[in-house]
Amino acid sequence: MAYPPRLAHLATRPVVVAKLIPTYARAHNIDEDEASQRLSSALQGRLLPSLLEEAWTAMRGKSKRLDDEGLLEKVATTLKDRPTRPGRVAELTPAWSAFLVLADLEAGTASEAARRVMESPEGRQRAQAGLAEVGRFLAAELTRGK
C-alpha cells in the first residue's frame, strides 16, 4: 500500500462513492441511487485501494508545502462536516471512460467484450490512465475544503 492507512480511514468507500456518483450517473444516464449501488459494488474489491493510491500520488505531487500529515489533515478538514457530499461532475475523457468501464467490470455490469478489450495490452494501459485521471479528480475533491 503506497498511501497512509489514515487515508483509507478518511476516504472510505461511501465517501469515494459519493464523490464519483454524479459523473457515473451522468455517463450511464441512470439515477443516482442506481449509480451508488453500482459504484459501491465496484469499489468492494481491488479498485478502491488502486484509486486511493492514485489519489494519494496526485495529492503529494500537487502540494509542495504540505507534508504527509498536513495533507491528511486537509482531507480530514474537507470531509469533517459533510463527508458524503457529492462530487462535481467531471468532464468525460477517454481516460475517464476507461475508468468507468473498469468500474462496470468490477460491478459485474460490463459485457464480456468489454472485459476482453480491457484485458488487452492497450486496454490495461488505458485502464491505468483512467485510474490516474480519476485519482487526480478524487484528490481534488478530497482536498477542496478550507
PDB file of all heavy atoms in Angstrom, residues 2-4 7 50-62 67-72 75 135-136 138-139 142:
ATOM      1  N   ALA A   2       0.718   2.078  -1.005  1.00  0.00           N
ATOM      2  CA  ALA A   2       1.573   3.252  -1.159  1.00  0.00           C
ATOM      3  C   ALA A   2       0.941   4.516  -0.577  1.00  0.00           C
ATOM      4  O   ALA A   2       1.435   5.596  -0.809  1.00  0.00           O
ATOM      5  CB  ALA A   2       1.886   3.459  -2.630  1.00  0.00           C
ATOM      6  N   TYR A   3      -0.134   4.374   0.155  1.00  0.00           N
ATOM      7  CA  TYR A   3      -0.758   5.532   0.801  1.00  0.00           C
ATOM      8  C   TYR A   3      -0.882   5.224   2.292  1.00  0.00           C
ATOM      9  O   TYR A   3      -0.925   4.072   2.693  1.00  0.00           O
ATOM     10  CB  TYR A   3      -2.126   5.854   0.176  1.00  0.00           C
ATOM     11  CG  TYR A   3      -3.105   4.706   0.198  1.00  0.00           C
ATOM     12  CD1 TYR A   3      -3.952   4.509   1.282  1.00  0.00           C
ATOM     13  CD2 TYR A   3      -3.183   3.815  -0.859  1.00  0.00           C
ATOM     14  CE1 TYR A   3      -4.844   3.462   1.301  1.00  0.00           C
ATOM     15  CE2 TYR A   3      -4.074   2.752  -0.843  1.00  0.00           C
ATOM     16  CZ  TYR A   3      -4.906   2.588   0.236  1.00  0.00           C
ATOM     17  OH  TYR A   3      -5.790   1.547   0.252  1.00  0.00           O
ATOM     18  N   PRO A   4      -0.943   6.286   3.112  1.00  0.00           N
ATOM     19  CA  PRO A   4      -1.042   6.050   4.560  1.00  0.00           C
ATOM     20  C   PRO A   4      -2.384   5.414   4.932  1.00  0.00           C
ATOM     21  O   PRO A   4      -3.409   5.723   4.329  1.00  0.00           O
ATOM     22  CB  PRO A   4      -0.933   7.443   5.173  1.00  0.00           C
ATOM     23  CG  PRO A   4      -0.781   8.403   4.068  1.00  0.00           C
ATOM     24  CD  PRO A   4      -0.867   7.675   2.769  1.00  0.00           C
ATOM     25  N   LEU A   7      -5.547   7.568   5.262  1.00  0.00           N
ATOM     26  CA  LEU A   7      -6.305   7.994   4.086  1.00  0.00           C
ATOM     27  C   LEU A   7      -7.490   7.061   3.868  1.00  0.00           C
ATOM     28  O   LEU A   7      -8.597   7.521   3.578  1.00  0.00           O
ATOM     29  CB  LEU A   7      -5.420   8.048   2.837  1.00  0.00           C
ATOM     30  CG  LEU A   7      -6.127   8.507   1.566  1.00  0.00           C
ATOM     31  CD1 LEU A   7      -6.633   9.947   1.718  1.00  0.00           C
ATOM     32  CD2 LEU A   7      -5.204   8.392   0.366  1.00  0.00           C
ATOM     33  N   SER A  50      -6.574   0.829  -5.367  1.00  0.00           N
ATOM     34  CA  SER A  50      -5.862   1.386  -6.527  1.00  0.00           C
ATOM     35  C   SER A  50      -6.205   2.853  -6.713  1.00  0.00           C
ATOM     36  O   SER A  50      -5.335   3.678  -7.000  1.00  0.00           O
ATOM     37  CB  SER A  50      -6.222   0.612  -7.799  1.00  0.00           C
ATOM     38  OG  SER A  50      -5.821  -0.727  -7.696  1.00  0.00           O
ATOM     39  N   LEU A  51      -7.462   3.176  -6.536  1.00  0.00           N
ATOM     40  CA  LEU A  51      -7.903   4.563  -6.688  1.00  0.00           C
ATOM     41  C   LEU A  51      -7.330   5.442  -5.580  1.00  0.00           C
ATOM     42  O   LEU A  51      -6.874   6.566  -5.839  1.00  0.00           O
ATOM     43  CB  LEU A  51      -9.434   4.596  -6.671  1.00  0.00           C
ATOM     44  CG  LEU A  51     -10.122   5.846  -7.161  1.00  0.00           C
ATOM     45  CD1 LEU A  51      -9.609   6.269  -8.527  1.00  0.00           C
ATOM     46  CD2 LEU A  51     -11.614   5.624  -7.221  1.00  0.00           C
ATOM     47  N   LEU A  52      -7.310   4.954  -4.351  1.00  0.00           N
ATOM     48  CA  LEU A  52      -6.731   5.719  -3.246  1.00  0.00           C
ATOM     49  C   LEU A  52      -5.229   5.933  -3.453  1.00  0.00           C
ATOM     50  O   LEU A  52      -4.694   6.998  -3.137  1.00  0.00           O
ATOM     51  CB  LEU A  52      -6.998   5.034  -1.909  1.00  0.00           C
ATOM     52  CG  LEU A  52      -8.439   5.069  -1.421  1.00  0.00           C
ATOM     53  CD1 LEU A  52      -8.570   4.305  -0.109  1.00  0.00           C
ATOM     54  CD2 LEU A  52      -8.954   6.488  -1.271  1.00  0.00           C
ATOM     55  N   GLU A  53      -4.565   4.932  -3.994  1.00  0.00           N
ATOM     56  CA  GLU A  53      -3.136   5.055  -4.271  1.00  0.00           C
ATOM     57  C   GLU A  53      -2.883   6.161  -5.300  1.00  0.00           C
ATOM     58  O   GLU A  53      -2.000   6.997  -5.125  1.00  0.00           O
ATOM     59  CB  GLU A  53      -2.600   3.718  -4.782  1.00  0.00           C
ATOM     60  CG  GLU A  53      -1.099   3.677  -4.905  1.00  0.00           C
ATOM     61  CD  GLU A  53      -0.618   2.269  -5.211  1.00  0.00           C
ATOM     62  OE1 GLU A  53      -1.194   1.291  -4.701  1.00  0.00           O
ATOM     63  OE2 GLU A  53       0.355   2.170  -5.966  1.00  0.00           O
ATOM     64  N   GLU A  54      -3.687   6.181  -6.353  1.00  0.00           N
ATOM     65  CA  GLU A  54      -3.546   7.225  -7.377  1.00  0.00           C
ATOM     66  C   GLU A  54      -3.902   8.600  -6.811  1.00  0.00           C
ATOM     67  O   GLU A  54      -3.245   9.592  -7.125  1.00  0.00           O
ATOM     68  CB  GLU A  54      -4.417   6.914  -8.594  1.00  0.00           C
ATOM     69  CG  GLU A  54      -3.965   5.717  -9.393  1.00  0.00           C
ATOM     70  CD  GLU A  54      -2.608   5.905 -10.065  1.00  0.00           C
ATOM     71  OE1 GLU A  54      -2.162   7.044 -10.267  1.00  0.00           O
ATOM     72  OE2 GLU A  54      -1.995   4.878 -10.400  1.00  0.00           O
ATOM     73  N   ALA A  55      -4.925   8.665  -5.976  1.00  0.00           N
ATOM     74  CA  ALA A  55      -5.312   9.944  -5.369  1.00  0.00           C
ATOM     75  C   ALA A  55      -4.193  10.456  -4.463  1.00  0.00           C
ATOM     76  O   ALA A  55      -3.869  11.651  -4.471  1.00  0.00           O
ATOM     77  CB  ALA A  55      -6.611   9.788  -4.576  1.00  0.00           C
ATOM     78  N   TRP A  56      -3.586   9.563  -3.688  1.00  0.00           N
ATOM     79  CA  TRP A  56      -2.507   9.963  -2.792  1.00  0.00           C
ATOM     80  C   TRP A  56      -1.305  10.475  -3.589  1.00  0.00           C
ATOM     81  O   TRP A  56      -0.697  11.488  -3.249  1.00  0.00           O
ATOM     82  CB  TRP A  56      -2.115   8.801  -1.887  1.00  0.00           C
ATOM     83  CG  TRP A  56      -1.048   9.161  -0.912  1.00  0.00           C
ATOM     84  CD1 TRP A  56       0.231   8.697  -0.884  1.00  0.00           C
ATOM     85  CD2 TRP A  56      -1.156  10.087   0.176  1.00  0.00           C
ATOM     86  NE1 TRP A  56       0.917   9.271   0.155  1.00  0.00           N
ATOM     87  CE2 TRP A  56       0.093  10.126   0.821  1.00  0.00           C
ATOM     88  CE3 TRP A  56      -2.187  10.883   0.662  1.00  0.00           C
ATOM     89  CZ2 TRP A  56       0.335  10.931   1.925  1.00  0.00           C
ATOM     90  CZ3 TRP A  56      -1.946  11.681   1.767  1.00  0.00           C
ATOM     91  CH2 TRP A  56      -0.702  11.703   2.389  1.00  0.00           C
ATOM     92  N   THR A  57      -0.974   9.781  -4.666  1.00  0.00           N
ATOM     93  CA  THR A  57       0.125  10.220  -5.536  1.00  0.00           C
ATOM     94  C   THR A  57      -0.165  11.616  -6.078  1.00  0.00           C
ATOM     95  O   THR A  57       0.715  12.479  -6.099  1.00  0.00           O
ATOM     96  CB  THR A  57       0.322   9.219  -6.695  1.00  0.00           C
ATOM     97  OG1 THR A  57       0.625   7.936  -6.136  1.00  0.00           O
ATOM     98  CG2 THR A  57       1.429   9.652  -7.631  1.00  0.00           C
ATOM     99  N   ALA A  58      -1.401  11.835  -6.504  1.00  0.00           N
ATOM    100  CA  ALA A  58      -1.784  13.154  -7.034  1.00  0.00           C
ATOM    101  C   ALA A  58      -1.713  14.230  -5.957  1.00  0.00           C
ATOM    102  O   ALA A  58      -1.237  15.336  -6.205  1.00  0.00           O
ATOM    103  CB  ALA A  58      -3.193  13.083  -7.623  1.00  0.00           C
ATOM    104  N   MET A  59      -2.179  13.909  -4.753  1.00  0.00           N
ATOM    105  CA  MET A  59      -2.138  14.889  -3.653  1.00  0.00           C
ATOM    106  C   MET A  59      -0.702  15.270  -3.324  1.00  0.00           C
ATOM    107  O   MET A  59      -0.402  16.446  -3.130  1.00  0.00           O
ATOM    108  CB  MET A  59      -2.788  14.309  -2.396  1.00  0.00           C
ATOM    109  CG  MET A  59      -4.281  14.363  -2.383  1.00  0.00           C
ATOM    110  SD  MET A  59      -4.901  13.769  -0.791  1.00  0.00           S
ATOM    111  CE  MET A  59      -5.883  12.404  -1.318  1.00  0.00           C
ATOM    112  N   ARG A  60       0.159  14.294  -3.251  1.00  0.00           N
ATOM    113  CA  ARG A  60       1.560  14.563  -2.903  1.00  0.00           C
ATOM    114  C   ARG A  60       2.259  15.342  -4.006  1.00  0.00           C
ATOM    115  O   ARG A  60       3.107  16.176  -3.729  1.00  0.00           O
ATOM    116  CB  ARG A  60       2.291  13.260  -2.624  1.00  0.00           C
ATOM    117  CG  ARG A  60       1.783  12.637  -1.334  1.00  0.00           C
ATOM    118  CD  ARG A  60       2.561  11.453  -0.924  1.00  0.00           C
ATOM    119  NE  ARG A  60       3.855  11.895  -0.390  1.00  0.00           N
ATOM    120  CZ  ARG A  60       4.914  11.125  -0.320  1.00  0.00           C
ATOM    121  NH1 ARG A  60       4.860   9.897  -0.771  1.00  0.00           N
ATOM    122  NH2 ARG A  60       6.028  11.569   0.199  1.00  0.00           N
ATOM    123  N   GLY A  61       1.901  15.092  -5.245  1.00  0.00           N
ATOM    124  CA  GLY A  61       2.516  15.803  -6.357  1.00  0.00           C
ATOM    125  C   GLY A  61       2.027  17.235  -6.488  1.00  0.00           C
ATOM    126  O   GLY A  61       2.743  18.109  -6.981  1.00  0.00           O
ATOM    127  N   LYS A  62       0.815  17.468  -6.041  1.00  0.00           N
ATOM    128  CA  LYS A  62       0.205  18.793  -6.188  1.00  0.00           C
ATOM    129  C   LYS A  62       0.610  19.748  -5.068  1.00  0.00           C
ATOM    130  O   LYS A  62       0.732  20.945  -5.284  1.00  0.00           O
ATOM    131  CB  LYS A  62      -1.320  18.623  -6.202  1.00  0.00           C
ATOM    132  CG  LYS A  62      -2.087  19.842  -6.598  1.00  0.00           C
ATOM    133  CD  LYS A  62      -3.538  19.474  -6.793  1.00  0.00           C
ATOM    134  CE  LYS A  62      -4.412  20.366  -5.954  1.00  0.00           C
ATOM    135  NZ  LYS A  62      -5.807  20.045  -6.018  1.00  0.00           N
ATOM    136  N   ASP A  67       3.381  18.448   4.218  1.00  0.00           N
ATOM    137  CA  ASP A  67       3.931  17.101   4.356  1.00  0.00           C
ATOM    138  C   ASP A  67       2.756  16.109   4.393  1.00  0.00           C
ATOM    139  O   ASP A  67       1.593  16.507   4.295  1.00  0.00           O
ATOM    140  CB  ASP A  67       4.817  16.997   5.598  1.00  0.00           C
ATOM    141  CG  ASP A  67       4.048  17.232   6.893  1.00  0.00           C
ATOM    142  OD1 ASP A  67       2.824  17.502   6.860  1.00  0.00           O
ATOM    143  OD2 ASP A  67       4.678  17.142   7.969  1.00  0.00           O
ATOM    144  N   ASP A  68       3.068  14.829   4.539  1.00  0.00           N
ATOM    145  CA  ASP A  68       2.010  13.806   4.514  1.00  0.00           C
ATOM    146  C   ASP A  68       0.961  14.048   5.589  1.00  0.00           C
ATOM    147  O   ASP A  68      -0.238  13.942   5.339  1.00  0.00           O
ATOM    148  CB  ASP A  68       2.621  12.414   4.690  1.00  0.00           C
ATOM    149  CG  ASP A  68       3.395  11.973   3.457  1.00  0.00           C
ATOM    150  OD1 ASP A  68       3.454  12.734   2.471  1.00  0.00           O
ATOM    151  OD2 ASP A  68       3.948  10.855   3.490  1.00  0.00           O
ATOM    152  N   GLU A  69       1.399  14.387   6.802  1.00  0.00           N
ATOM    153  CA  GLU A  69       0.457  14.649   7.900  1.00  0.00           C
ATOM    154  C   GLU A  69      -0.426  15.850   7.574  1.00  0.00           C
ATOM    155  O   GLU A  69      -1.624  15.848   7.849  1.00  0.00           O
ATOM    156  CB  GLU A  69       1.236  14.888   9.181  1.00  0.00           C
ATOM    157  CG  GLU A  69       0.870  14.095  10.412  1.00  0.00           C
ATOM    158  CD  GLU A  69      -0.125  12.973  10.289  1.00  0.00           C
ATOM    159  OE1 GLU A  69       0.217  11.867   9.855  1.00  0.00           O
ATOM    160  OE2 GLU A  69      -1.288  13.177  10.678  1.00  0.00           O
ATOM    161  N   GLY A  70       0.170  16.887   6.984  1.00  0.00           N
ATOM    162  CA  GLY A  70      -0.590  18.073   6.603  1.00  0.00           C
ATOM    163  C   GLY A  70      -1.637  17.754   5.550  1.00  0.00           C
ATOM    164  O   GLY A  70      -2.765  18.268   5.602  1.00  0.00           O
ATOM    165  N   LEU A  71      -1.271  16.907   4.588  1.00  0.00           N
ATOM    166  CA  LEU A  71      -2.239  16.502   3.560  1.00  0.00           C
ATOM    167  C   LEU A  71      -3.398  15.724   4.169  1.00  0.00           C
ATOM    168  O   LEU A  71      -4.560  15.957   3.835  1.00  0.00           O
ATOM    169  CB  LEU A  71      -1.556  15.627   2.503  1.00  0.00           C
ATOM    170  CG  LEU A  71      -0.771  16.351   1.427  1.00  0.00           C
ATOM    171  CD1 LEU A  71       0.009  15.355   0.584  1.00  0.00           C
ATOM    172  CD2 LEU A  71      -1.680  17.179   0.554  1.00  0.00           C
ATOM    173  N   LEU A  72      -3.081  14.831   5.073  1.00  0.00           N
ATOM    174  CA  LEU A  72      -4.140  14.051   5.729  1.00  0.00           C
ATOM    175  C   LEU A  72      -5.051  14.952   6.555  1.00  0.00           C
ATOM    176  O   LEU A  72      -6.269  14.738   6.601  1.00  0.00           O
ATOM    177  CB  LEU A  72      -3.529  12.945   6.580  1.00  0.00           C
ATOM    178  CG  LEU A  72      -2.863  11.820   5.785  1.00  0.00           C
ATOM    179  CD1 LEU A  72      -2.043  10.927   6.700  1.00  0.00           C
ATOM    180  CD2 LEU A  72      -3.905  11.008   5.029  1.00  0.00           C
ATOM    181  N   VAL A  75      -7.426  16.653   4.180  1.00  0.00           N
ATOM    182  CA  VAL A  75      -8.502  15.732   3.797  1.00  0.00           C
ATOM    183  C   VAL A  75      -9.518  15.633   4.942  1.00  0.00           C
ATOM    184  O   VAL A  75     -10.726  15.717   4.719  1.00  0.00           O
ATOM    185  CB  VAL A  75      -7.939  14.342   3.430  1.00  0.00           C
ATOM    186  CG1 VAL A  75      -9.070  13.329   3.241  1.00  0.00           C
ATOM    187  CG2 VAL A  75      -7.081  14.416   2.176  1.00  0.00           C
ATOM    188  N   GLY A 135      -8.014   9.358 -10.051  1.00  0.00           N
ATOM    189  CA  GLY A 135      -7.267   9.616  -8.819  1.00  0.00           C
ATOM    190  C   GLY A 135      -7.002  11.102  -8.626  1.00  0.00           C
ATOM    191  O   GLY A 135      -7.141  11.633  -7.520  1.00  0.00           O
ATOM    192  N   ARG A 136      -6.638  11.787  -9.703  1.00  0.00           N
ATOM    193  CA  ARG A 136      -6.423  13.249  -9.628  1.00  0.00           C
ATOM    194  C   ARG A 136      -7.731  13.966  -9.295  1.00  0.00           C
ATOM    195  O   ARG A 136      -7.761  14.896  -8.492  1.00  0.00           O
ATOM    196  CB  ARG A 136      -5.830  13.781 -10.938  1.00  0.00           C
ATOM    197  CG  ARG A 136      -4.380  13.390 -11.147  1.00  0.00           C
ATOM    198  CD  ARG A 136      -3.742  14.095 -12.332  1.00  0.00           C
ATOM    199  NE  ARG A 136      -4.349  13.732 -13.603  1.00  0.00           N
ATOM    200  CZ  ARG A 136      -4.000  12.677 -14.339  1.00  0.00           C
ATOM    201  NH1 ARG A 136      -3.045  11.866 -13.909  1.00  0.00           N
ATOM    202  NH2 ARG A 136      -4.597  12.441 -15.495  1.00  0.00           N
ATOM    203  N   LEU A 138     -10.287  12.661  -7.663  1.00  0.00           N
ATOM    204  CA  LEU A 138     -10.601  12.343  -6.273  1.00  0.00           C
ATOM    205  C   LEU A 138      -9.726  13.153  -5.324  1.00  0.00           C
ATOM    206  O   LEU A 138     -10.212  13.658  -4.306  1.00  0.00           O
ATOM    207  CB  LEU A 138     -10.441  10.845  -6.026  1.00  0.00           C
ATOM    208  CG  LEU A 138     -10.840  10.329  -4.655  1.00  0.00           C
ATOM    209  CD1 LEU A 138     -12.301  10.640  -4.349  1.00  0.00           C
ATOM    210  CD2 LEU A 138     -10.592   8.833  -4.565  1.00  0.00           C
ATOM    211  N   ALA A 139      -8.453  13.299  -5.655  1.00  0.00           N
ATOM    212  CA  ALA A 139      -7.556  14.104  -4.833  1.00  0.00           C
ATOM    213  C   ALA A 139      -8.072  15.537  -4.714  1.00  0.00           C
ATOM    214  O   ALA A 139      -8.077  16.122  -3.621  1.00  0.00           O
ATOM    215  CB  ALA A 139      -6.141  14.103  -5.419  1.00  0.00           C
ATOM    216  N   LEU A 142     -11.128  15.578  -2.454  1.00  0.00           N
ATOM    217  CA  LEU A 142     -10.814  15.332  -1.044  1.00  0.00           C
ATOM    218  C   LEU A 142     -10.059  16.473  -0.394  1.00  0.00           C
ATOM    219  O   LEU A 142      -9.965  16.528   0.838  1.00  0.00           O
ATOM    220  CB  LEU A 142      -9.992  14.047  -0.894  1.00  0.00           C
ATOM    221  CG  LEU A 142     -10.708  12.747  -1.256  1.00  0.00           C
ATOM    222  CD1 LEU A 142      -9.737  11.572  -1.218  1.00  0.00           C
ATOM    223  CD2 LEU A 142     -11.894  12.501  -0.338  1.00  0.00           C
TER     224      LEU A 142
END
